[in-house]
Structure formats: structure tokens, C-alpha cells
Amino acid sequence: MQYDAIIIGGGSAGLMAGIAASKHGASVLLLDKGDKLGRKLGISGGGRCNVTNNKELDDLIKHIPGNGRFLHSSFSNFNNKDIISFFENLGIALKEEDNGRMFPVSDKAKTVVDTLVNQVRKQGVQIRLNAPVDQIMYKDGSVSGVRLKSGDVLRSRSVIVASGGKSVPQTGSTGDGYAWAEKAGHTITELFPTEVPLTSNEPFITSKELQGLSLRDVCLSVWNPKGKKIIEHRGDMIFTHFGLSGPIALRCSQFVVKALKQFGTGNIEVAVDLMPDKSKDEVYKESLSLAEQEAKKTIKNVLKSYLPEKMIPILLQKSKLTDSLTYDHIPKQDWLTLSRLIKHFPIRVYGTLSIEDAFVTGGGVNLKEIDPKTMESKLMKGLFFCGEILDIHGYTGGYNITAAFSTGYTAGENAVLLP
Ligand SMILES: Cc1cc2nc3c(=O)[nH]c(=O)nc-3n(C[C@H](O)[C@H](O)[C@H](O)COP(=O)(O)OP(=O)(O)OC[C@H]3O[C@@H](n4cnc5c(N)ncnc54)[C@H](O)[C@@H]3O)c2cc1C
């Protein structure tokens, strides 16, 4: 049998590709090496699946720092608003949370996975599970089909590669697709972990004294070795036993990875601003006046109402202030140092967790070699790419699934239109 399209990978991109490809009755085969579909989708968003983001298009693209602009054409075809309508038309209501993040009202990623899988089945897509693909077959500059690890050969005029990146390989994304792309002549831009926790061996990290401390609405910035700020993100973060995690640490991670590489150094400075709405002067005066109002109390106790308690001993030590001091004995210069540290608490980070531990794989199939209107390879007729295998990566917040759905939809629609 000759299929109109074979899709490799039943994750976010592959499932949406299946839906778009089969909507007018084309014969479509979806292959996955796992024993069920949508495994990564099923654990996404902490098990709730942050399925898209409700921001306006320009803003959406800004939150996809890894080549978001490539998505203009694909988004004009199928974007975040279309994703919301898609689920609502199938009876799955979504709700908006902070920063435009959209979740199913059920708060269950399973709802999203089941909806996609049911729709794929309803539209007649054939599904083969436990069917790892070994090779894509090419002949005279065109795709001719795929060969499974079992040896089975399946014929199709178009093949959509939706095999994902390399992150969280337990979900099936083990990076198999990069070799198939290379065999077709594609280049793969360097792969790197992104949206990934940062690692540090600062004494206050290795001692674990800050482990578990969450900081709300602070700023985290990344600094190059020349003392220039590379990027800053505002939001929440958490200290872990190995370093920093939480939304803003994840957002900063790709800049840390790139800076470490660019400057060839073993570590890089990130800094926390604990009070982003106040200047250093304001912090100085405010904290000093607090100490004055409670002149009999030790500064350690005064600061408890002002700073995260676990950080106080570290901040005092770095400012050379003794914690038993009272207001009358505060050395003003050291208090200035304390204020400076509240605004800029430096942490040297030496890297990130591995690509396997990252939320997203940065780098991938070079976009210069892909037609942004169709997701077809410019080098091999009938070969399409979508989802995380492409050199596209967004921040956490629903942007990666949005990119996967959009590119998947566009690839699916176009793969069955081949002359
Ligand atoms: C823990 C976690 C939580 C996340 N939460 C969110 C979130 O809430 N919102 C968001 O926007 N993004 C989130 N992301 C990122 C997002 O899930 C991914 O970017 C997106 O799902 C990628 O989709 P994909 O279809 O390209 O790849 P995948 O979903 O990884 O799917 C690839 C599929 O290809 C199959 N496959 C691979 N090789 C072969 C082969 N040789 N033969 C056959 N099949 C093969 C795999 O089995 C797999 O099913 C999260 C990521 C992680 C790790």
C-alpha cells in the first residue's frame, strides 16, 4: 500500500499533523515507537498541559527566542487562537492563567492527549504503536517511504518527521530524527539544553542552606565576564540542592549555556534582584529606618520582616555585618553593601543540567533548509519536519507546544497536497 503521508512520531507535532493531513480523507499512517501516543504531552505542564498561550501574535513570537520569527507563516495558517478554537470546537474548554498561559479546565494533560488521539482515530488515521522507524528511504531527490526496525518497508510520497528533540528520552524523544535529516543533506545546528535548571557550587548552594527557598516576583539577570548584563527575567525562582530552578532560572538558562560557550569560561555570574521595584538608595533608607524603628532588636531579627529568612545569614556575612548588631552600631558602609547585595545578589553558575533533563532541546534541523510556508525540506521532495526536531525553542509558558502544533498542522496540510 502507498500512503499519502507517513508521520513519524505521535507527540504534539505528529498528532496535529495527523489531524491536518487526514481532514480531507487522505490515507495517513502515524508511527510511534512507544506503546502509547502523546507521552511527553501527558507529562507536560506538571501533568496539567500548558497547551498554548493567549498572547497576541507579536508577543507570542517574542517568547520563542529560538527562531520564533520563522513561525510567522505557520502561525498565519494555524496559531494560538486556532489551537484554542480547535479544542473548544471539540468540547474541551480551556482556561487562562497568569501570563496568558492556557490549560484545559479539567487541569489534566490527559484530556488534551485523549482529545487529540480520539480525533486522529475519528479521522481515519492508521496508527501503529511499538513501531520504531529505522530509516527514511530516499530515491532520486524524493522520499519513497520508511523502513521500520522490524524490517517492514512502508511506502509513501511524503514523510513527516515529528520525532521530537533529545530531552526526557523516557518519553520516546531520543533524537532519532537528526540522522534521517542529515542523510537527506540537512545540517543540524548545535544541540543544547534549554529551559533547564542552572548548576552552581557556591558554598551556600553546596551547603544546601537555601534549598527549597522560593523567591516570588524577583529579577534574575545573566552577566558576561566583562560585567555587561546579557538578559534579565522577572518572576519566580527556587533554590535547589544543585543550583537554581523555577520559571526565571529556566528562561535564563539558554543565555547561560551560550555565554559559557562564547566566552570559554568555566562559570558565569547570574544575579538576583530581591526588590526589583526599588532602587538601591530606597532599599538602603527603608531597611535602615526599619532598624531605627526597632533600635533594640538585633539586625538579624529586624531583617526577618524584610528579607527571605534563609538568606539573612548569607547576606549579613557577605556584607561583613555581625548579626547581633543593633541600630546604634551599624557601620553605614557595610549597610550600603547589604543594600547593594539585596539588589544584586551574585551567584556563579557553572552550567545546567543535561539535555536529557531539560524541558526543551535547543538547536535542530537548520531552518534555512526548510520552507516556512509548508515545513517541507528544500533539499528532499516529500520530506517534512515539525515540532522540537526543528531549530526552534520557546520559553516555558505554552510556547513550545504551540510551535509544535502550528508546525505540525502546517506540515500535515501540505504533505498531502504534493502533486
Ligand atoms: C516535563 C516537560 C513538561 C513540558 N511542559 C510543557 C508545557 O506545559 N507547555 C509547552 O508548551 N511545552 C512543554 N514542554 C515542551 C513540549 O512538551 C515539547 O516541546 C513538545 O511536546 C514537543 O513535541 P514534538 O511532537 O516535537 O515531540 P515529542 O512530543 O517528543 O514527540 C516525539 C515522538 O516521536 C516518537 N519517536 C521518536 N523516535 C521515533 C522513531 N525512531 N520511530 C517512531 N517514533 C519515534 C516518540 O516516541 C515521541 O512520541 C514540556 C517538556 C517537558 C519535558
Side-chain angles (χ1 to χ4, degrees):
M1 150 139 201
Q2 165 99 4
Y3 293 95
D4 293 324
I6 292 178
I7 302 164
I8 311 175
S12 323
L15 286 166
M16 199 51 98
I19 288 165
S22 60
K23 63 184 174 180
H24 300 303
S27 62
V28 180
L29 174 66
L30 175 62
L31 300 167
D32 201 286
K33 67 175 171 187
D35 58 2
K36 56 181 183 187
L37 299 170
R39 283 183 291 169
K40 187 170 279 179
L41 205 50
I43 59 163
S44 66
R48 297 198 302 133
C49 187
N50 180 188
V51 69
T52 190
N53 194 294
N54 203 15
K55 288 200 164 60
E56 290 311 311
L57 224 49
D58 281 351
D59 214 5
L60 192 74
I61 287 173
K62 277 194 201 126
H63 285 78
I64 306 181
N67 296 315
R69 276 176 305 173
F70 175 84
L71 293 168
H72 269 292
S73 295
S74 188
F75 279 160
S76 69
N77 188 36
F78 192 73
N79 59 35
N80 52 343
K81 310 286 175 191
D82 297 313
I83 294 170
I84 296 168
S85 314
F86 169 83
F87 282 103
E88 290 186 344
N89 290 339
L90 292 173
I92 304 303
L94 304 180
K95 58 173 173 173
E96 184 170 340
E97 295 192 359
D98 57 319
N99 299 312
R101 297 182 308 146
M102 302 296 295
F103 292 86
V105 166
S106 68
D107 272 333
K108 290 192 172 69
K110 190 174 180 306
T111 308
V112 173
V113 177
D114 289 351
T115 305
L116 289 166
V117 173
N118 290 342
Q119 193 58 21
V120 161
R121 287 191 198 283
K122 200 168 145 196
Q123 290 185 198
V125 174
Q126 288 186 43
I127 298 169
R128 275 181 74 170
L129 299 175
N130 301 307
V133 170
D134 184 34
Q135 289 295 336
I136 299 178
M137 297 179 309
Y138 306 117
K139 194 164 178 251
D140 303 330
S142 294
V143 152
S144 65
V146 305
R147 193 175 63 231
L148 301 184
K149 287 236 159 83
S150 64
D152 284 5
V153 169
L154 305 158
R155 303 272 167 205
S156 178
R157 292 181 310 146
S158 66
V159 170
I160 302 173
V161 185
S163 51
K166 286 187 86 165
S167 303
V168 193
Q170 313 82 283
T171 61
S173 343
T174 46
D176 301 5
Y178 302 119
W180 308 329
E182 280 175 329
K183 198 176 148 201
H186 284 280
T187 45
I188 307 297
T189 61
E190 192 176 348
L191 304 180
F192 60 93
T194 175
E195 303 306 300
V196 62
L198 305 173
T199 49
S200 167
N201 47 22
E202 289 277 10
F204 51 84
I205 298 289
T206 51
S207 68
K208 299 189 176 39
E209 58 196 290
L210 293 183
Q211 182 177 351
L213 172 65
S214 295
L215 299 176
R216 301 233 166 264
D217 196 23
V218 296
C219 274
L220 187 69
S221 47
V222 182
W223 297 76
N224 78 16
K226 294 174 188 151
K228 195 164 173 272
K229 194 196 287 180
I230 300 172
I231 188 87
E232 178 174 84
H233 281 292
R234 183 165 178 168
D236 304 337
M237 56 174 276
I238 184 166
F239 288 92
T240 67
H241 60 288
F242 55 77
L244 311 176
S245 190
I248 56 174
L250 299 181
R251 284 191 175 198
C252 285
S253 62
Q254 61 175 297
F255 301 96
V256 168
V257 171
K258 286 177 188 158
L260 284 169
K261 190 162 183 326
Q262 181 186 346
F263 297 100
T265 103
N267 58 58
I268 208 104
E269 182 181 303
V270 302
V272 183
D273 179 350
L274 290 165
M275 300 189 179
D277 289 328
K278 292 173 188 162
S279 69
K280 191 179 70 198
D281 263 12
E282 283 171 314
V283 170
Y284 176 80
K285 286 184 191 138
E286 194 175 60
S287 53
L288 203 57
S289 110
L290 211 67
E292 190 179 10
Q293 283 162 36
E294 308 207 60
K296 293 213 162 55
K297 276 194 180 174
T298 63
I299 53 170
K300 186 179 167 201
N301 279 332
V302 170
L303 289 173
K304 273 184 192 166
S305 63
Y306 196 61
L307 294 170
E309 199 172 335
K310 279 189 180 177
M311 288 186 81
I312 295 171
I314 300 163
L315 287 164
L316 291 180
Q317 193 202 9
K318 279 183 176 281
S319 315
K320 303 200 167 48
L321 286 159
T322 317
D323 53 11
S324 58
L325 280 179
T326 52
Y327 175 73
D328 291 336
H329 304 98
I330 290 173
K332 298 295 181 295
Q333 199 52 40
D334 295 341
W335 202 261
L336 253 180
T337 307
L338 174 69
S339 320
R340 209 180 57 236
L341 284 170
I342 292 171
K343 290 292 296 168
H344 186 104
F345 180 76
I347 305 166
R348 297 220 72 91
V349 292
Y350 64 83
T352 66
L353 294 188
S354 71
I355 200 163
E356 286 77 17
D357 292 318
F359 281 90
V360 182
T361 299
V365 176
N366 194 330
L367 300 175
K368 291 193 185 117
E369 301 154 2
I370 304 294
D371 179 348
K373 292 199 180 73
T374 61
M375 298 298 142
E376 188 175 10
S377 159
K378 291 178 182 170
L379 311 178
M380 185 66 70
K381 202 164 163 36
L383 182 63
F384 292 77
F385 293 94
C386 53
E388 207 174 304
I389 188 170
L390 290 166
D391 182 8
I392 296 173
H393 60 91
Y395 290 136
T396 56
Y399 306 102
N400 290 293
I401 291 177
T402 301
F405 280 161
S406 176
T407 53
Y409 194 91
T410 299
E413 252 186 353
N414 287 284
V416 292
L417 289 182
L418 285 185

